Amino acid sequence: MKGAALAAVPYALLPSAPADARPRTVDHPFAAWLSADPANYTPAERPGSQPLDFVVIHVTQASYTTLNIFRNPQKRVSAHYVVRSADGYVAQCVRERDIAWHAGNWDYNTRSIGIEHEGWVERPGYFTDALYQASARLTAAVCTRYGIPKDRDHIIGHYEVPGTDHTDPGPDWDWTRYIGLVNLA
């Protein structure tokens, strides 16, 4: 599906926040709380307990219903945020102080914030303007909050995590555009 077609998808067809989706607070002011199951992340007190050095960019290889995977205690996976393709809606699933299980490398999990993006690596139509804009604003805020440089050495793709077998966000992710948006946000 191309980006324009995705934007035309009625919002009624997209998963919405469940009734229990309101936390005491969220870390990003433009996010809604859609909690991962506590079995899918590690409570921590970052950055006090571990420094935060990276933002790891992911692509879900699924629809926005990835949120249901994070809510399933059997899956043992999560990310801090998920960004929806059609409209840039941001869901926070794990508090930034806690360790999401997203990178496939414990050291990187402890030192990073993981941001999932709805879509598939081989379907770049999911990388809409709304997704890029919302994600860049989120990444910029995270970098500012923790003093993470807004560059490609610190904002990395999942494929760049040592030991991973993942390819996301893939060759069609526009890193030049994305880093430019992060630095403008």
Side-chain angles (χ1 to χ4, degrees), residues 7-22:
V9 173
Y11 293 123
L13 298 177
L14 297 170
S16 60
D20 67 347
R22 306 258 185 254

Side-chain angles (χ1 to χ4, degrees), residues 23-72:
R24 292 171 290 290
T25 62
V26 290
D27 295 307
H28 183 62
F30 300 104
W33 183 251
L34 295 168
S35 180
D37 189 275
N40 293 336
Y41 63 89
T42 301
E45 290 298 330
R46 302 179 317 160
S49 60
Q50 291 97 356
L52 286 165
D53 302 319
F54 300 100
V55 174
V56 180
I57 302 299
H58 301 268
V59 173
T60 61
Q61 291 300 105
S63 71
Y64 190 71
T65 58
T66 291
L67 294 166
N68 294 329
I69 294 170
F70 296 166
R71 295 176 73 90
N72 180 341

Side-chain angles (χ1 to χ4, degrees), residues 70-137:
F70 296 166
R71 295 176 73 90
N72 180 341
Q74 303 299 313
K75 295 297 183 176
R76 314 294 284 173
V77 66
S78 63
H80 293 92
Y81 295 96
V82 179
V83 182
R84 189 162 62 192
S85 175
D87 57 4
Y89 181 87
V90 177
Q92 182 172 359
C93 305
V94 175
R95 296 298 304 267
E96 291 175 5
R97 70 177 178 232
D98 295 328
I99 301 166
W101 300 345
H102 63 95
N105 174 315
W106 180 248
D107 181 50
Y108 275 72
N109 282 346
T110 66
R111 299 169 44 210
S112 65
I113 299 294
I115 303 175
E116 286 279 2
H117 298 81
E118 175 188 25
W120 286 263
V121 167
E122 65 279 1
R123 293 164 72 183
Y126 275 87
F127 304 155
T128 64
D129 288 339
L131 178 135
Y132 274 116
Q133 292 284 342
S135 178
R137 182 170 53 190

